[in-house]
């Protein structure tokens, strides 16, 4: 990684600046997309927390009407009487998380560039403290989340089951067991407990046993399509289909990988729509969290079910073993997918579902919900060495996700159901995030509003109630303690089920009672 050329005066929007640094790290480190997406979610969610805590205390004391939502990871205290500098908080939150997630890389030049020329006063000092606390809370929250599980995977030799194809051993076979970002764990505001298995789609063609699947007409049709369209020497794949295949690939080390391409498209749309820094902090946190959980869910389906589906490369070369008289074996078949030297390969993990498609589905749903519409036209770019200078224009986020999924058939590494069910799984992953996580106060963002997930704002009358050991107001000792979250807020303010609820806001260490006037 090379030091950035710009100094603080030209850094501008910190959400965009540090996302660029993140993508530099993706290029430098490489590897499969799940760990990269996890690092992105950790950084952007820590930045969200840092900005939120700073904004809540922008008047020198806690005022919920100044917040942009509820903290994702509590544990941030702010010195009384000081308004933390938001940019300082964002810089140090991002820097500390990146140091933790990419320990082999040196991010100090990026921090120096961001802070050069900035004043050193009480507000920037407190901003630094807030950012460091946000990063520390995030790092602690993700410690022992399952991401370090290196339990080996034993490939099967049974027809239909995945086996290595020469591109390496099974990559991240335990990633589907990683704790999802949407699940707050033991925090009592969580009213939707989730696991990766919650989002598992149906098995391919709805058939749960491999011998039946391989002999089905559905498998035959999907086999024939990818064998024809995805072959390296295909004569039926059109030039545009070939371009689409390469545009969305970005599988190679030295590129920003699938999550990086979608982050770049996020930035393109953000710039086009004129979002400010705080809106970008929220948008990128939403996209990052959704993609991280999408990756976990995709890898759960790939490895943690009874069907670890083989890649088309194996399917075609070993078609004489599948028990299906309608599939034709071709021992010399190769996918279009290739490295920079032209060597053809298939990614080293099972086919069903497509990781590309799952990331794309999560991204499209996040963007749609944030902007309030799917129908935004944008022109996307790529870093794949086979598509240098290529750009493609889409009339909606869904159209981009659909093309991303379809591209994997043209590349010869997936069947169409991998893409279709991958997009659906990604949309569900984003839906969980949208229902349980990121928010913004529409009073603070008059142009763009994301889903109304948390009500912490001017509508509430707030009465301090002392220390957070105060019990729950609704169900005695057996009931969970509600923090400032959508569930309690919605029950009180919108649905009028309760007249009030206790709320430990996580900012000033005190409990409050939030209620609506009658």
């Amino acid at each position: 990684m090379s030091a950035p050329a710009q100094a603080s005066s030209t850094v501008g929007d910190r959400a965009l600046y540090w996302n660029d640094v993140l993508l530099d790290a993706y290029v430098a480190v490489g590897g499969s997309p799940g760990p990269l997406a996890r690092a992105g979610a950790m950084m952007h969610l820590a930045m969200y927390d840092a900005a939120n805590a700073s904004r809540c205390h922008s008047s020198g004391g806690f005022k919920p009407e100044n917040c942009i939502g509820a903290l994702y990871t509590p544990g941030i205290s702010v010195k009384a009487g000081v308004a933390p500098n938001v940019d300082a908080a964002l810089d140090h939150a991002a820097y500390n998380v990146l140091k933790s997630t990419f320990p082999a890389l040196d991010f100090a030049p990026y921090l120096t560039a961001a802070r050069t020329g900035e004043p050193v006063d009480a507000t920037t000092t407190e901003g630094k403290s807030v950012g460091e606390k946000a990063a520390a809370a995030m790092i602690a929250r993700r410690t022992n989340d399952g991401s370090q599980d290196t339990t080996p995977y034993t490939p099967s030799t049974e027809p239909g089951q995945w086996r290595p194809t020469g591109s390496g051993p099974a990559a991240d076979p335990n990633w589907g067991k990683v704790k999802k970002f949407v699940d707050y764990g033991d925090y009592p505001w969580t009213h939707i407990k989730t696991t990766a298995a919650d989002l598992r789609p149906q098995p391919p063609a709805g058939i749960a046993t491999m011998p039946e699947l391989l002999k089905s007409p559905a498998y035959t049709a999907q086999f024939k399509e990818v064998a024809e369209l995805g072959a390296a020497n295909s004569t039926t794949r059109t030039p545009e289909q070939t371009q689409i295949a390469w545009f969305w690939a970005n599988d190679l080390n030295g590129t920003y990988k699938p999550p990086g391409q979608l982050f770049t498209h996020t930035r393109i749309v953000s710039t086009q729509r004129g979002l400010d820094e705080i809106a970008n902090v929220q948008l990128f946190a939403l996209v990052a969290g959704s993609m991280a959980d999408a990756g976990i869910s995709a890898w759960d389906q790939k490895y943690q079910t009874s069907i670890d589906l083989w890649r088309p490369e194996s399917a075609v070369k070993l078609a004489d073993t599948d028990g299906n008289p309608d599939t034709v074996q071709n021992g010399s078949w190769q996918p279009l997918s290739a490295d920079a030297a032209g060597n053809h390969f298939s990614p080293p993990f099972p086919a069903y579902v497509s990781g590309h498609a799952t990331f794309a589905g999560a991204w499209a749903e996040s963007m749609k919900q944030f902007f309030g519409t799917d129908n935004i036209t944008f022109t996307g770019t790529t870093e794949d060495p086979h598509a240098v200078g290529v750009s493609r224009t889409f009339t909606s986020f869904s159209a981009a996700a659909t093309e991303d999924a379809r591209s994997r058939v043209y590349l010869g590494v997936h069947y169409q159901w991998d893409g279709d069910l991958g997009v659906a799984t990604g949309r569900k992953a984003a839906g969980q995030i949208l229902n349980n996580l990121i928010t913004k106060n529409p009073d603070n963002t008059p142009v763009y509003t994301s889903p109304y997930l948390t009500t912490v704002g001017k509508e509430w009358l707030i009465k301090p109630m002392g220390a957070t050991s105060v019990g729950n107001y609704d169900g005695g000792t057996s009931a969970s303690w509600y923090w400032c979250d959508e569930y309690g807020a919605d029950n009180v303010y919108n649905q009028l089920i309760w007249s009030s609820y206790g709320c430990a806001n996580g900012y000033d260490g005190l409990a409050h009672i939030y209620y609506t006037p009658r």
Side-chain angles (χ1 to χ4, degrees):
M1 296 175 66
S2 59
Q6 65 262 53
S8 176
S9 60
T10 57
V11 163
D13 188 314
R14 261 56 180 190
L16 302 181
Y17 174 76
W18 286 105
N19 186 258
D20 282 347
V21 178
L22 175 72
L23 300 196
D24 285 349
Y26 285 4
V27 171
V29 171
S32 60
L36 301 180
R38 171 183 177 270
M42 288 179 65
M43 187 194 82
H44 280 296
L45 284 166
M47 292 177 72
Y48 167 86
D49 281 348
N52 196 20
S54 298
R55 286 285 295 266
C56 288
H57 292 82
S58 58
S59 63
F62 173 71
K63 287 188 177 181
E65 63 266 29
N66 293 336
C67 299
I68 59 175
L71 285 176
Y72 170 72
T73 300
I76 303 173
S77 59
V78 180
K79 184 183 295 184
V82 180
N85 179 277
V86 174
D87 284 350
L90 291 172
D91 288 338
H92 288 278
Y95 171 69
N96 282 20
V97 170
L98 288 172
K99 279 200 310 178
S100 173
T101 52
F102 299 103
L105 302 182
D106 180 14
F107 296 97
Y110 293 93
L111 180 64
T112 298
R115 301 311 306 159
T116 296
E118 293 291 306
V120 179
D121 55 22
T123 64
T124 55
T125 298
E126 191 60 20
K128 175 184 177 182
S129 174
V130 167
E132 290 174 341
K133 290 173 182 176
M138 178 58 66
I139 293 165
R141 194 79 188 94
R142 300 306 300 182
T143 299
N144 300 320
D145 64 356
S147 59
Q148 302 303 311
D149 187 347
T150 58
T151 304
Y153 175 84
T154 303
S156 173
T157 58
E158 294 297 315
Q161 299 287 7
W162 183 84
R163 72 283 318 277
T165 56
S167 58
D172 299 316
N174 307 297
W175 199 257
K177 302 176 185 178
V178 172
K179 187 178 183 67
K180 290 166 64 179
F181 281 82
V182 72
D183 191 349
Y184 292 52
D186 56 359
Y187 287 113
W189 60 36
T190 306
H191 55 281
I192 301 176
K193 290 291 185 180
T194 68
T195 66
D198 293 339
L199 299 184
R200 283 180 187 170
Q202 65 177 28
I207 302 172
T209 64
M210 188 64 78
E212 291 182 55
L213 174 64
L214 295 180
K215 290 183 286 187
S216 70
Y219 176 78
T220 302
Q222 302 241 339
F223 173 99
K224 289 182 176 179
E225 180 182 52
V226 69
E228 181 176 340
L229 285 178
N233 60 354
S234 173
T235 59
T236 58
R237 186 179 56 244
T238 68
E240 183 182 24
Q241 289 171 339
T242 300
Q243 182 190 84
I244 290 170
W246 292 127
F247 177 85
W248 290 106
N250 297 292
D251 285 318
L252 304 182
N253 288 338
T255 68
Y256 49 23
K257 297 300 178 98
Q261 183 174 32
L262 294 170
F263 273 134
T264 298
H265 292 178
T266 304
R267 178 180 186 140
I268 289 169
V269 175
S270 164
T271 302
Q272 173 183 305
R273 309 301 286 189
L275 268 62
D276 63 16
E277 181 176 82
I278 292 299
N280 277 326
V281 165
Q282 294 168 315
L283 172 61
F284 277 83
L286 174 59
V287 168
S290 297
M291 290 202 300
D293 278 4
I296 294 168
S297 296
W299 259 248
D300 167 75
Q301 177 62 49
K302 285 178 182 292
Y303 287 109
Q304 304 303 321
T305 64
S306 60
I307 293 181
D308 297 359
L309 189 62
W310 60 10
R311 292 280 178 171
E313 179 177 352
S314 298
V316 177
K317 289 180 177 179
L318 300 173
D320 56 340
T321 71
D322 64 13
N324 186 333
D326 296 321
T327 59
V328 178
Q329 187 265 350
N330 180 352
S332 63
W333 190 90
Q334 291 181 311
L336 173 64
S337 172
D339 62 20
N343 301 306
H344 298 284
F345 74 96
S346 298
F349 32 81
Y352 189 77
V353 290
S354 163
H356 269 67
T358 311
F359 286 122
W363 175 83
E365 186 66 20
S366 299
M367 297 292 282
K368 171 187 173 182
Q369 295 297 332
F370 185 89
F371 288 101
T373 179
D374 187 38
N375 299 319
I376 290 179
T377 298
F378 71 97
T379 299
T381 58
T382 182
E383 273 193 356
D384 194 276
H386 301 280
V388 176
V390 173
S391 62
R392 293 189 61 79
T393 298
F394 308 95
T395 58
S396 69
F397 304 129
S398 293
T402 298
E403 184 178 284
D404 191 345
R406 182 64 175 165
S407 75
R408 307 303 281 173
V409 176
Y410 302 148
L411 201 69
V413 296
H414 276 291
Y415 315 91
Q416 185 58 41
W417 55 35
D418 302 344
D420 293 341
L421 277 297
V423 169
T425 300
R427 286 190 178 279
K428 290 179 181 178
Q432 287 187 337
I433 292 283
L434 289 162
N435 286 328
N436 220 31
L437 192 58
I438 301 302
T439 182
K440 58 173 141 178
N441 185 337
D443 288 337
N444 294 331
T445 51
V447 178
Y448 298 105
T449 58
S450 61
Y452 206 63
L453 308 183
T454 302
T455 303
V456 184
K458 294 184 174 66
E459 299 93 342
W460 291 103
L461 302 180
I462 307 169
K463 179 181 179 182
M465 297 297 291
T468 55
S469 59
V470 174
N472 184 276
Y473 290 91
D474 183 53
T477 57
S478 63
S480 64
W481 176 261
Y482 289 105
W483 293 56
C484 300
D485 72 313
E486 174 266 340
Y487 183 57
D490 186 64
N491 279 345
V492 176
Y493 188 76
N494 296 320
Q495 298 188 36
L496 305 181
I497 295 174
W498 304 340
S499 62
S500 64
Y501 81 106
C503 174
N505 61 50
Y507 301 105
D508 60 5
L510 300 178
H512 297 75
I513 184 167
Y514 284 57
Y515 63 96
T516 54
R518 289 290 189 268

